[in-house]
């Protein structure tokens, strides 16, 4: 009786597995290299354009000081009720004896009369304060004015506590995040603010500065990889959408951007500032931080799903990651709206007492500006989820199992 031969066997060597029908357990498919080349082809021109933009918009000189007043630190050693005008008998002010810690006459005492009103700070003995010295006679109390409290020490302690918390949880990744945070502030202080004060177009400066921050921060924090590059692409596309929508709806709503602070800035500077451009610049920069969070989270979710199930197809990756994205974007949009509402809380309280209808209040310049800022940023945030998820699903599905384990 003949012994049956195992199914699929032949008299020679075992047959080779069909090429192209595996599930990613072998070498990376050829399409993976093509996708990486496509990512590079999209990102390299953007990076070069960012560097060219920095060179073109870089301020030729730093902004000139707009005031001759110099800060002088001091401590209140005595305080008592006083008349605002000598001999008036109103008793509506307080006389403060201030011992100067620095300035032209350190260690000397001077008397400052400050009003006692609901809209002014309350100063007392032992308070560390800041005086503004006009540069006049240093022995004349009229050359000084009490302007604020000293807050350096508590802010330093809070910063150290924040850094310790980030390092404790994030370790080396947390250290990279702190470095990225310092870099972001450096770009804002060294490039964005001086360029706007020098008369450059605020929206162009904000876009270039945001791209510079995005490239530097994402690659410094998460390292150069296809995953990081995908998050960068998703952030770029969402920022572009926010810029277009912001420009369109600020023009359609005839927003001028001329709030009290901007009006004061324009009156102070010798060069004019595009108030609407300044508004749009704030929209772009304000949305960047939230966009980074969403795009990086979505990209990481796609990679983790692919790592958990290397057999998952591109459509399945997209569908599964979008479930995560919907939950994330719902909380992120709420965070963005509440952040803007919290920053504008005094304004909202003021309008709530005006007796106007909701429609009338919403159409005022100040409130309409916040509405456009919030909704445009939220639309860009929502759009970043499917954009980034689709890009990440295409790239991750072509990653080799070896690269997924890194």
């Amino acid at each position: 009786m003949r012994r049956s031969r195992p199914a699929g066997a032949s008299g020679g060597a075992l047959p080779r597995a069909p090429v192209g029908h595996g599930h990613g357990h072998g070498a990376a498919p050829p399409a993976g290299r093509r996708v990486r080349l496509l990512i590079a082809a999209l990102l390299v021109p953007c990076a070069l354009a960012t560097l060219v933009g920095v060179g073109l918009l870089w301020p030729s000189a730093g902004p000139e000081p707009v005031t001759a007043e110099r800060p002088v630190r001091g401590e209140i050693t005595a305080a008592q009720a006083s008349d605002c005008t000598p001999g008036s008998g109103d008793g509506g002010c307080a006389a403060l004896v201030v011992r100067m810690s620095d300035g032209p006459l350190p260690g000397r005492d001077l008397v400052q009369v400050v009003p006692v009103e609901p809209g002014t700070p309350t100063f007392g003995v032992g308070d560390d304060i800041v005086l503004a010295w006009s540069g006049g006679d240093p022995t004349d109390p009229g050359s000084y004015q009490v302007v604020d409290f000293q807050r350096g020490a508590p802010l330093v302690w809070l910063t150290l506590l924040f850094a310790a918390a980030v390092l404790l949880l994030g370790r080396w990744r947390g250290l990279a995040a702190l470095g990225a945070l310092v870099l972001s502030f450096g770009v804002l202080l060294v490039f964005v603010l001086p360029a706007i004060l020098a008369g450059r177009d605020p929206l162009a400066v904000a876009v270039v500065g945001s791209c510079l921050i995005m490239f530097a921060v994402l690659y410094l924090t998460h390292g150069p990889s296809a995953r990081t590059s995908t998050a960068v692409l998703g952030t770029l596309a969402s920022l572009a959408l926010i810029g277009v929508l912001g420009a369109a709806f600020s023009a359609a709503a005839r927003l001028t951007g001329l709030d009290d602070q901007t009006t004061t800035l324009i009156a102070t500077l010798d060069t004019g500032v595009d108030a609407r451009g300044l508004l749009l610049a704030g929209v772009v920069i304000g949305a960047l931080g939230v966009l980074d969070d969403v795009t990086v989270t979505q990209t990481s979710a796609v990679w983790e799903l692919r790592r958990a199930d290397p057999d998952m197809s591109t459509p399945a990756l997209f569908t599964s990651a979008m479930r995560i994205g919907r939950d994330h974007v719902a909380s992120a949009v709420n965070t963005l709206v509440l952040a803007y509402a919290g920053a504008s809380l005094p304004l909202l309280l003021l309008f709530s007492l005006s007796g106007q209808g909701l429609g009338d209040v919403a159409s005022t310049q100040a409130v309409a500006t916040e509405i456009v800022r919030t909704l445009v940023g939220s639309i860009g945030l929502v759009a970043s989820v499917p954009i980034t998820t689709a890009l990440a699903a295409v790239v991750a599905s072509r990653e080799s199992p070896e690269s997924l384990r890194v």
Side-chain angles (χ1 to χ4, degrees):
M1 183 175 180
R2 297 181 59 186
R3 179 179 296 177
S4 60
R5 182 174 296 169
S10 62
L14 292 174
R16 298 178 61 184
V19 178
H21 296 282
H23 296 285
H25 296 284
R33 185 172 181 271
R34 291 199 298 269
V35 170
R36 290 170 183 269
L37 291 176
L38 178 60
I39 291 176
L42 293 173
L43 284 181
V44 170
C46 294
L48 293 177
T50 299
L51 294 178
V52 171
V54 170
L56 293 176
L57 297 172
W58 191 267
S60 56
E64 295 294 331
V66 296
T67 177
E69 293 183 345
R70 307 176 200 174
V72 176
R73 293 167 181 81
E75 180 186 358
I76 299 175
T77 58
Q80 64 180 14
S82 171
D83 296 335
C84 296
T85 303
S88 63
D90 54 13
C93 289
L96 308 177
V97 179
V98 181
R99 178 161 297 170
M100 293 184 288
S101 305
D102 54 17
L105 298 174
R108 294 283 297 272
D109 291 342
L110 59 90
V111 177
Q112 291 288 292
V113 178
V114 297
V116 180
E117 299 174 349
T120 59
T122 301
F123 299 99
V125 177
D127 288 341
D128 295 321
I129 62 172
V130 178
L131 304 165
W133 176 43
S134 64
D137 182 3
T139 62
D140 181 11
S143 299
Y144 302 87
Q145 182 181 2
V146 178
V147 293
D148 209 345
F149 294 97
Q150 295 183 39
R151 301 184 178 90
L155 292 180
V156 169
W157 282 109
L158 181 59
T159 302
L160 293 176
L161 180 62
F162 164 74
V166 172
L167 291 174
L168 182 63
L169 180 63
R171 299 182 182 178
W172 290 110
R173 184 63 62 87
L175 182 62
L178 291 177
L181 182 61
V182 172
L183 185 61
S184 298
F185 275 104
V187 172
L188 291 175
L189 296 177
V190 175
F191 170 65
V192 173
L193 299 183
I196 293 176
L197 291 175
R200 306 292 192 269
D201 180 72
L203 180 57
V205 172
V207 170
V208 172
S210 297
C211 290
L212 184 61
I213 290 173
M214 178 191 60
F215 277 108
V217 166
L218 288 183
Y219 282 113
L220 175 63
T221 306
H222 305 283
S225 64
R227 173 163 45 183
T228 305
S229 299
T230 304
V232 170
L233 280 175
T235 307
L236 273 174
S238 303
L239 275 179
L241 177 62
I242 288 174
V244 171
L245 289 177
F249 281 94
S250 63
R254 298 186 178 274
L255 298 179
T256 63
L258 293 172
D259 55 16
D260 293 339
Q261 294 177 341
T262 306
T263 303
T264 302
L265 175 65
I266 293 175
T268 303
L269 295 175
D270 293 334
T271 57
V273 174
D274 179 8
R276 183 181 292 174
L278 199 60
L279 166 65
L280 295 174
V283 172
V284 171
I285 294 176
L288 177 61
V290 185
L291 280 178
D292 283 353
D293 175 40
V294 173
T295 55
V296 169
T297 301
Q298 281 304 110
T299 306
S300 298
V302 171
W303 252 260
E304 291 301 322
L305 288 170
R306 175 77 203 289
R307 180 183 300 174
D309 185 3
D311 296 338
M312 191 176 291
S313 64
T314 301
L317 273 175
F318 177 81
T319 302
S320 298
M322 280 299 296
R323 296 192 190 101
I324 301 173
R326 290 187 188 98
D327 293 335
H328 189 198
V329 78
S331 59
V333 167
N334 192 47
T335 300
L336 189 65
V337 171
L338 290 179
Y340 282 129
S344 307
L345 190 58
L347 178 66
L348 296 177
L349 290 173
L350 182 63
F351 276 107
S352 67
L353 297 174
S354 65
Q356 302 179 34
L358 181 60
D360 295 331
V361 171
S363 61
T364 58
Q365 167 77 21
V367 177
T369 297
E370 296 304 320
I371 291 175
V372 170
R373 191 198 312 270
T374 303
L375 296 185
V376 165
S378 298
I379 291 172
L381 188 64
V382 171
S384 69
V385 173
I387 292 173
T388 307
T389 305
L391 289 170
V394 170
V395 177
S397 62
R398 286 158 175 79
E399 288 278 86
S400 64
E402 290 77 13
S403 64
L404 291 172
R405 299 190 191 101
V406 178

